[in-house]
Amino acid sequence: MRFMMIVKATTDSEAGEKPSEELLEAMLRYNEELAKAGVLLAADGLQPSSSGVRISYPEPGGKPKIVDGPFTEAKEIIAGYTLIEVKSREEAIQWVMRMPDPHGKGQGEIELRQIFEPEELSANEETRAKIKGQFGL
């Protein structure tokens, strides 16, 4: 089972404030634990939404609309993520509970979401094989 730990942004992360050296070291140790346990797939921090764009599809069949950042509501913005592969939801929750406060100031919030597996997306075996091949699953 694959899960994404979604680290929510704060006003500081949206302002481009970098993590302290102590927090970086704590996160590196945590990621090392994930890697040693064989569950880490990826982990990255994201630049503030001021350097991003949103693409929306306001009308069915219509042209996509592009909106430049920054975006409001920091708690709705993602500041980083970690992808893990574990045996159960409970194991994923245990790993999340071990993550250091991602912003180091008591403002951290992490959302845990399970990733769809190809078998859950399509009953068609050919389609599932294409999904697996495209994403190296």
Side-chain angles (χ1 to χ4, degrees):
M1 302 174 93
R2 293 176 299 147
F3 287 85
M4 177 180 272
M5 299 177 207
I6 302 166
V7 175
K8 300 295 183 114
T10 65
T11 52
D12 288 344
S13 67
E14 276 298 287
E17 186 175 309
K18 304 285 189 289
S20 69
E21 286 299 315
E22 294 81 16
L23 180 55
L24 282 174
E25 288 295 325
M27 291 304 281
L28 288 169
R29 285 191 302 274
Y30 174 71
N31 289 343
E32 190 174 299
E33 287 180 45
L34 291 167
K36 282 182 181 176
V39 300
L40 181 65
L41 299 176
D44 290 296
L46 301 175
Q47 299 218 1
S49 70
S50 59
S51 65
V53 297
R54 281 190 180 161
I55 294 90
S56 62
Y57 299 83
E59 299 175 22
K63 286 184 136 186
K65 179 181 174 185
I66 298 173
V67 177
D68 290 317
F71 308 115
T72 58
E73 292 300 319
K75 287 196 173 226
E76 300 298 322
I77 298 171
I78 298 170
Y81 67 93
T82 300
L83 292 176
I84 58 173
E85 187 165 16
V86 294
K87 293 183 175 93
S88 68
R89 180 177 185 268
E90 291 73 26
E91 183 182 355
I93 291 170
Q94 289 174 1
W95 279 111
V96 173
M97 297 299 291
R98 293 172 65 178
M99 182 185 275
D101 175 354
H103 298 289
K105 296 180 179 181
Q107 299 174 18
E109 184 176 341
I110 304 163
E111 182 177 329
L112 181 66
R113 303 273 299 275
Q114 187 171 351
I115 297 170
F116 276 115
E117 298 300 334
E119 296 78 18
E120 298 170 307
L121 290 174
S122 175
N124 182 299
E125 192 172 324
E126 186 178 322
T127 301
R128 288 194 312 260
K130 286 179 184 177
I131 293 168
K132 288 180 179 181
Q134 188 173 37
F135 296 102
L137 302 174

